[in-house]
Amino acid sequence: MENIKASFGILKDNTHYFPVHVYYNHTDAGQIVYFANYLRMTEEARVAMFNMLASDDEKGHKELQSVGDFVVRSCNAEYLKSAVLNDDLVVVSKVVDMGKVQLELSQDIYRGDEKLVEVKFKLVFVRLLPDGSHKPSRIPEFWMERLKQIA
């Protein structure tokens, strides 16, 4: 069988675009997307975005993951309009601010030109310690350089 890969979306104009189709399992009994599933969509888009940004250096990315990774510190969601079964959506992700340890990311969900959901995330880079615990740490230069592509 051919080597088939899932799409990581596209990077264009310092923004990451990730397509999402609304399936039955995203919806409630009224075929409206259940509110928590929008957060799942943003998580999938964020993982795809990080994978895309690191894809040109897979070895470096794996080494970084063994040292640490980004975790969600907080999120704030504004639900503007509902999506429904069989809608085609796009998660639009962009770095709003980047510090030494933390980055702020906006991830808005659109149906065509219509904005449905606005989500703001604060992500912190944490280093994994030998005892299995973790602590906030400076964002590695590897990520600082790549994240500038969506800032």
Side-chain angles (χ1 to χ4, degrees):
M1 181 173 264
E2 290 181 43
N3 186 10
I4 300 172
K5 289 188 173 187
S7 171
F8 288 153
I10 61 167
L11 282 173
K12 183 179 177 187
D13 300 327
N14 296 337
T15 305
H16 180 254
Y17 300 89
F18 184 76
V20 177
H21 183 78
V22 176
Y23 293 101
Y24 184 76
N25 64 317
H26 294 128
T27 66
D28 61 17
Q31 296 186 349
I32 296 171
V33 173
Y34 180 67
F35 80 97
N37 286 327
Y38 293 109
L39 295 179
R40 286 181 191 212
M41 293 172 192
T42 60
E43 176 72 11
E44 290 171 3
R46 201 165 47 254
V47 168
M49 177 188 73
F50 280 119
N51 284 335
M52 177 180 255
L53 291 172
S55 65
D56 64 339
D57 188 356
E58 192 170 321
K59 181 179 179 228
H61 180 56
K62 287 181 180 179
E63 286 175 15
L64 276 172
Q65 284 185 320
S66 69
V67 172
D69 214 340
F70 288 97
V71 296
V72 174
R73 178 177 181 201
S74 66
C75 76
N76 181 8
E78 291 286 329
Y79 301 97
L80 307 172
K81 296 184 178 184
S82 297
V84 297
L85 182 64
N86 286 321
D87 275 349
D88 287 314
L89 310 176
V90 176
V91 180
V92 178
S93 304
K94 190 167 183 71
V95 171
V96 176
D97 188 38
M98 193 165 32
K100 293 178 182 176
V101 174
Q102 176 177 285
L103 79 102
E104 292 182 38
L105 185 69
S106 72
Q107 290 189 279
D108 299 333
I109 301 175
Y110 287 85
R111 177 179 49 220
D113 292 332
E114 184 177 33
K115 187 187 294 186
L116 305 181
V117 182
E118 295 176 347
V119 188
K120 303 287 186 239
F121 286 94
K122 288 187 181 178
L123 304 175
V124 175
F125 192 84
V126 295
R127 186 166 40 107
L128 304 176
L129 302 176
D131 66 1
S133 64
H134 61 275
K135 74 175 202 172
S137 181
R138 179 179 285 271
I139 299 170
E141 191 61 33
F142 174 93
W143 282 119
M144 295 293 275
E145 287 302 313
R146 280 158 176 78
L147 288 166
K148 289 177 184 173
Q149 295 179 49
I150 56 167

